[in-house]
Amino acid sequence: MAKRVLGIAVVGLGGAVGTTMAAGVELLKKRAIGNEGLPLASLRIDGLTDYTDVIFAGWDLFPEHLAKAAEEHDVLTHKQFIAAEEALKQIKPWPAVGDPRFLSLIDGENKIGAAGHRAAIEKLRSNLADLGSRCDSVVVINLASTEKLIAEGNEIFNSIEGFEKALDDNSADISPAMLYAYAAIEQGVPYGNFTPSVAADIPSLIEFAEKQNVPIAGKDGKTGQTFIKTVLAPALKSRALKVEGWYSTNILGNRDGLALSNEDSLASKVKTKSSVLDEMLGYPVEDHIVDIRYYRPRGDNKEAWDNIDIRGFLGQPMQIKVNFLCKDSILAAPLAIEIARCLDLANQREEGGIQEQLSVFFKLPMTRSGRTEHAFHVQQEHLLSWLST
């Protein structure tokens, strides 16, 4: 069987996660690493692109090639960096869409020189067409820094007609994340949102994806603390242990952490991280607190700390402490790769619109019904059932 090459176009390609994705695939091609951390590596599914048949391109506000970017992020070991360096040097980001109204703390000079939304979209579509000429299919994955939380009730987001009129009017309410999502859908390219930013999850773009029969999924990759929460909470419920309070704090020092030191961007992240607990337990946890802090010395080494107050038989109080010292990009990069492979598989199967079966990868997954299942084991069963169909 001829190899089928998948091109992954990454928004925020030069970030820590984007460079780790590209480096990881290159190291897999060289057989310099194993399949640890890749959840679907043991499965053999017809149409699911092999990791070694993936190529990368994408956009970033910073123009450095990926070897330079990876050196700055310092996620790879020295041996891994040397092995992947030459391949990473060949990947240079396309100019990106930047708007300080939505992201004020992260800015660079590698910006699209376009007058208005429509012109920017045409440049994005041209980039996707270029990548498409070098591979068999393309998927867009959004890894850009978190944008500010927007008022989702805006009427321009309610229909594709209203959204396209707002594009023509260069509405200030349309964010860069939405422009990337629109460009991908218009180009017929599947789109996955690994960030908390509002993008393809607005009604107008969901409608557009269904009309174009383009797969979409999101949002906010479930990598560390929330992953642990969606494993523990259903287990506590099954033992009838009442959760009285759950305090979650998180420190990280990479570019994503810097973006989250802006209160507007932080609000987007806290919304997705706070959304999971009540639905899984079946009752509101009044003292559910989520706190995220930028702490520069940690770099990509993230620490997630949880204190859980529970009440058991005879009303007796107990506590659980979880301290997850993890590496942000090491957890996120393989999930982003798997999302891209699955979106491509959905596209081959001609399954457009919201891909609910990918919920296991997201903190606030998009669903067709509006009801969200957060329990990890249920989400995992849904994904595996879909893959084996």
Side-chain angles (χ1 to χ4, degrees), residues 179-194:
L179 294 178
Y180 284 108
Y182 181 91
I185 296 168
E186 189 175 39
Q187 191 69 13
V189 172
Y191 174 89
N193 185 13
F194 205 78

Side-chain angles (χ1 to χ4, degrees), residues 71-121:
E71 186 177 22
E72 292 174 357
H73 296 307
D74 199 26
V75 175
L76 308 176
T77 67
H78 178 69
K79 184 177 181 181
Q80 290 167 345
F81 177 77
I82 294 301
E85 183 177 14
E86 287 306 313
L88 294 179
K89 282 182 177 179
Q90 307 307 312
I91 306 174
K92 187 176 175 61
W94 299 314
V97 179
D99 189 337
R101 293 173 297 184
F102 291 91
L103 182 62
S104 61
L105 294 181
I106 307 295
D107 198 14
E109 68 274 19
N110 195 39
K111 290 183 180 179
I112 288 177
H117 294 329
R118 289 291 187 184
I121 287 168

Side-chain angles (χ1 to χ4, degrees), residues 139-388:
V139 169
V140 171
I141 299 294
N142 182 15
L143 295 176
S145 297
T146 302
E147 296 175 353
K148 74 173 185 178
L149 186 63
I150 67 166
E152 297 181 49
N154 191 318
E155 63 178 12
I156 70 169
F157 303 147
N158 292 335
S159 70
I160 188 58
E161 291 82 5
F163 187 82
E164 292 191 324
K165 183 180 185 303
L167 286 175
D168 295 334
D169 295 340
N170 292 317
S171 170
D173 294 319
I174 295 179
S175 68
M178 295 176 195
L179 294 178
Y180 284 108
Y182 181 91
I185 296 168
E186 189 175 39
Q187 191 69 13
V189 172
Y191 174 89
N193 185 13
F194 205 78
T195 82
S197 303
V198 176
D201 48 316
I202 56 176
S204 55
L205 292 184
I206 293 172
E207 177 190 344
F208 192 34
E210 291 172 347
K211 179 181 177 181
Q212 298 284 94
N213 200 36
V214 174
I216 56 173
K219 64 180 181 179
D220 199 4
K222 182 164 66 177
T223 55
Q225 189 172 55
T226 307
F227 159 59
I228 297 298
K229 192 171 287 186
T230 58
V231 172
L232 286 179
L236 295 174
K237 181 181 180 181
S238 74
R239 290 290 190 263
L241 295 168
K242 175 70 180 298
V243 176
E244 298 280 298
W246 198 311
Y247 182 88
S248 299
T249 190
N250 212 305
I251 57 174
L252 70 165
N254 57 16
R255 190 188 295 177
D256 189 40
L258 177 59
L260 293 176
S261 63
N262 176 283
E263 289 187 4
D264 292 333
S265 295
L266 179 62
S268 294
K269 188 73 170 180
V270 170
K271 179 180 178 181
T272 61
K273 286 177 72 71
S274 301
S275 65
V276 303
L277 198 54
D278 294 356
E279 186 277 339
M280 287 186 292
L281 295 173
Y283 55 84
V285 179
E286 183 178 349
D287 294 293
H288 181 203
I289 299 171
V290 177
D291 184 65
I292 307 170
R293 302 285 173 173
Y294 174 59
Y295 183 55
R296 185 190 54 80
R298 288 296 175 91
D300 202 62
N301 296 313
K302 180 169 67 173
E303 180 168 359
W305 182 83
D306 287 84
N307 173 80
I308 312 163
D309 284 282
I310 59 175
R311 193 170 296 278
F313 191 51
L314 306 180
Q316 295 287 348
M318 296 172 282
Q319 293 183 353
I320 301 171
K321 313 285 188 183
V322 181
N323 190 17
F324 191 6
L325 287 86
C326 50
K327 296 179 182 292
D328 196 33
S329 299
I330 295 301
L331 293 174
L335 299 192
I337 293 170
E338 299 292 29
I339 291 166
R341 296 169 74 221
C342 288
L343 283 171
D344 179 53
L345 181 60
N347 202 37
Q348 293 177 62
R349 294 177 175 180
E350 299 184 348
E351 299 175 10
I354 294 172
Q355 302 300 303
E356 193 168 335
Q357 74 279 3
L358 302 188
S359 294
V360 71
F361 296 120
F362 299 104
K363 294 184 182 74
L364 189 59
M366 297 171 64
T367 63
R368 295 178 184 270
S369 65
R371 183 188 178 278
T372 305
E373 173 60 66
H374 288 289
F376 182 83
H377 67 287
V378 178
Q379 294 176 332
Q380 180 73 353
E381 289 172 4
H382 189 185
L383 174 63
L384 294 179
S385 175
W386 176 77
L387 285 169
S388 63

